């Protein structure tokens, strides 16, 4: 098997310009960008929409700056998405800990007791691992100062404190293992959302959060699990193909829909403003908007009222 050998920056530029026909007018600038980003992250990550599938070379007239422009757009997009996903993450943690403590109590014996979760074989396996991870934090050697404080002073860490050490993925799994009496209350915090709908939203949001946090390509990322058909799909009049909504299911626009449901109105308005500013700063967005899953009337999401959404928290 032929392996790709190491190339110096000069060799990378020669390969791109001579063999792949990418226009590079300022080689020093290109070398500086390749140093900052890495060849794989920049070229392999963002070349596809600029390439001729027949020749496997860049389309005529494509410049190095075009590829880097898409990279910069995606980087800006990631920072905005991550910012507002983190707001949602904190709200979910707050809701989960509030309703769990309200029903079972805040003492650590409550959230470390498997009986307070669903008892199916699959759920029991998930909860066993989560309890092990939570238990590992409950000592004076914890890396979290607030955990050390509660352990030392009270010999018990309330769930509304411990929940802050959990990742969004762990929170998603913990929600999936809650009994209906907890899930129903959490769903009510975000409108009349069904238990399984919220579970799917958390799963999808976890994947998008990880893409953003790990600096992976975002604009055309799609999850394997799809967002359920929601009222908001109908309200936005998203077209269907073979009975299935064409966008807003497993693409970036699905995550935008999730933000619409989880964020307070003022926060979503800020997100929408930052998103529009990002689009204005990077005109290349028009080239990839369809790959992001945005429908033609996507701006309608900013003004549309979601009837089942925004109950008073």
């Amino acid at each position: 098997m032929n392996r790709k050998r190491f190339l110096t920056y000069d060799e990378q530029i020669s390969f791109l310009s001579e063999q792949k026909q990418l226009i590079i007018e300022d080689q020093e600038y290109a070398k500086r960008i390749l140093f900052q980003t890495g060849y794989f992250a920049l070229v392999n990550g963002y070349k596809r929409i600029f390439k001729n599938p027949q020749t496997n070379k860049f389309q005529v007239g494509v410049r190095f700056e075009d590829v880097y422009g898409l990279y910069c757009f995606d980087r800006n997009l990631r920072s905005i998405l991550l910012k507002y996903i983190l707001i949602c993450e904190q709200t979910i943690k707050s809701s989960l800990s509030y309703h769990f403590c309200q029903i079972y109590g805040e003492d650590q014996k409550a959230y470390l007791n498997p009986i307070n979760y669903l008892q199916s074989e699959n759920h029991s396996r998930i909860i066993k691992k989560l309890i092990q991870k939570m238990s590992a934090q409950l000592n004076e050697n914890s890396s979290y100062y607030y955990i050390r404080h509660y352990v030392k002073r009270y010999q018990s860490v309330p769930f509304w404190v411990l929940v802050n050490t959990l990742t969004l993925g762990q929170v998603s799994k913990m929600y999936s293992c809650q009994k209906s009496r907890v899930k129903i209350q959490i769903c009510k915090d975000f409108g009349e959302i069904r238990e399984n709908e919220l579970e799917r939203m958390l799963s999808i949001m976890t994947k998008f959060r990880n893409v953003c946090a790990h600096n992976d390509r975002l604009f055309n990322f799609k999850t394997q699990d799809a967002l359920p058909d929601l009222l908001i799909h109908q309200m936005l009049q998203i077209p269907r193909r073979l009975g299935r909504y064409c966008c807003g299911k497993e693409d970036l626009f699905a995550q935008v829909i999730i933000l619409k449901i989880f964020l307070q109105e003022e926060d979503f308005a800020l997100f929408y403003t930052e998103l529009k500013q990002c689009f204005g700063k990077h005109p290349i967005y028009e080239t990839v908007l369809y790959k992001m899953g945005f429908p033609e009337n996507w701006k309608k999401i900013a003004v549309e009222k979601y009837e089942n959404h925004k109950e008073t928290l």
Side-chain angles (χ1 to χ4, degrees):
M1 180 178 66
N2 292 328
R3 295 187 179 181
K4 302 237 174 159
R5 69 179 184 86
F6 168 80
L7 297 178
T8 66
Y9 293 124
D10 288 326
E11 289 173 328
Q12 291 173 21
I13 289 172
S14 295
F15 175 76
L16 287 171
S17 59
E18 295 173 11
Q19 296 192 40
K20 295 299 181 181
Q21 298 182 350
L22 179 66
I23 299 173
I24 302 179
E25 297 171 340
D26 188 338
Q27 293 193 4
E28 289 304 313
Y29 170 77
K31 280 197 283 187
R32 188 167 69 251
I33 298 303
L34 287 168
F35 166 73
Q36 293 174 352
T37 63
Y39 183 97
F40 182 84
L42 175 63
V43 179
N44 290 61
Y46 298 92
K47 66 184 179 182
R48 181 165 295 182
I49 72 166
F50 300 106
K51 295 192 77 174
N52 183 326
Q54 277 72 45
T55 65
N56 199 31
K57 297 178 180 180
F58 285 96
Q59 299 167 17
V60 176
V62 175
R63 302 172 305 128
F64 181 88
E65 287 80 3
D66 296 325
V67 181
Y68 184 56
L70 180 56
Y71 173 90
C72 291
F73 166 64
D74 203 45
R75 181 176 61 189
N76 196 178
L77 200 60
R78 282 196 303 268
S79 67
I80 295 170
L81 262 290
L82 182 59
K83 174 181 176 179
Y84 288 95
I85 287 174
L86 289 176
I87 294 174
C88 294
E89 178 178 336
Q90 192 58 41
T91 304
I92 291 293
K93 288 179 177 180
S94 175
S95 177
L96 172 62
S97 61
Y98 181 89
H99 294 296
F100 184 93
C101 293
Q102 187 178 42
I103 293 173
Y104 297 110
E106 74 274 10
D107 190 87
Q108 66 185 45
K109 292 180 180 179
Y111 60 81
L112 296 179
N113 190 346
I115 201 171
N116 291 330
Y117 303 94
L118 293 173
Q119 297 298 303
S120 73
E121 181 178 350
N122 185 50
H123 290 110
S124 296
R125 185 169 60 252
I126 294 172
I127 281 299
K128 182 179 180 180
K129 290 181 180 179
L130 281 173
I131 288 176
Q132 289 174 346
K133 290 181 179 179
M134 290 189 290
S135 298
Q137 288 291 345
L138 302 175
N139 60 75
E140 294 186 23
N141 295 320
S142 172
S143 56
Y144 299 93
Y145 74 91
Y146 48 86
I147 297 292
R148 298 196 300 271
H149 168 75
Y150 274 88
V151 169
K152 186 175 182 179
R153 183 162 185 176
Y154 302 106
Q155 294 78 53
S156 180
V157 180
F159 185 50
W160 44 265
V161 173
L162 186 281
V163 73
N164 293 283
T165 71
L166 302 180
T167 66
L168 180 56
Q170 290 167 341
V171 169
S172 175
K173 291 178 180 178
M174 194 165 192
Y175 167 83
S176 71
C177 295
Q178 296 299 313
K179 297 179 180 179
S180 285
R181 60 192 303 200
V182 175
K183 285 182 176 178
I184 289 171
Q185 297 305 315
I186 295 172
C187 288
K188 286 182 179 179
D189 283 343
F190 303 100
E192 298 302 318
I193 301 173
R194 296 183 179 90
E195 297 173 28
N196 66 318
E197 292 174 342
L198 184 54
E199 184 172 338
R200 188 71 62 84
M201 290 177 196
L202 291 177
S203 175
I204 292 171
M205 187 163 65
T206 297
K207 295 176 177 66
F208 274 97
R209 183 201 189 282
N210 291 341
V211 166
C212 293
H214 297 153
N215 280 328
D216 288 331
R217 186 178 59 222
L218 173 65
F219 76 93
N220 63 347
F221 175 74
K222 291 187 178 182
T223 57
Q224 291 184 340
D225 45 351
L227 196 63
D229 290 352
L230 302 170
L231 175 61
I232 197 166
H233 288 102
Q234 179 182 340
M235 293 170 66
L236 292 172
Q237 298 178 320
I238 292 177
R240 290 176 179 264
R241 185 180 298 118
L242 299 177
R244 186 180 187 277
Y245 286 112
C246 297
C247 51
K249 296 288 288 180
E250 64 282 307
D251 46 39
L252 183 57
F253 195 66
Q255 178 57 59
V256 173
I257 289 175
I258 293 171
L259 292 180
K260 175 74 173 181
I261 293 172
F262 282 169
L263 289 172
Q264 294 295 295
E265 275 190 29
E266 58 271 23
D267 284 328
F268 187 82
L270 291 172
F271 161 73
Y272 176 75
T273 298
E274 291 187 38
L275 184 63
K276 283 208 307 180
Q277 290 172 344
C278 175
F279 287 177
K281 183 179 178 182
H282 303 279
I284 198 169
Y285 89 90
E286 294 181 348
T287 306
V288 297
L289 196 63
Y290 74 101
K291 288 185 174 293
M292 297 160 58
F294 279 51
E296 292 183 4
N297 67 339
W298 70 270
K299 293 179 182 178
K300 191 178 178 183
I301 196 170
V303 297
E304 196 68 71
K305 296 294 183 182
Y306 188 20
E307 294 176 1
N308 291 342
H309 176 221
K310 300 307 177 203
E311 299 291 333
T312 302
L313 293 178

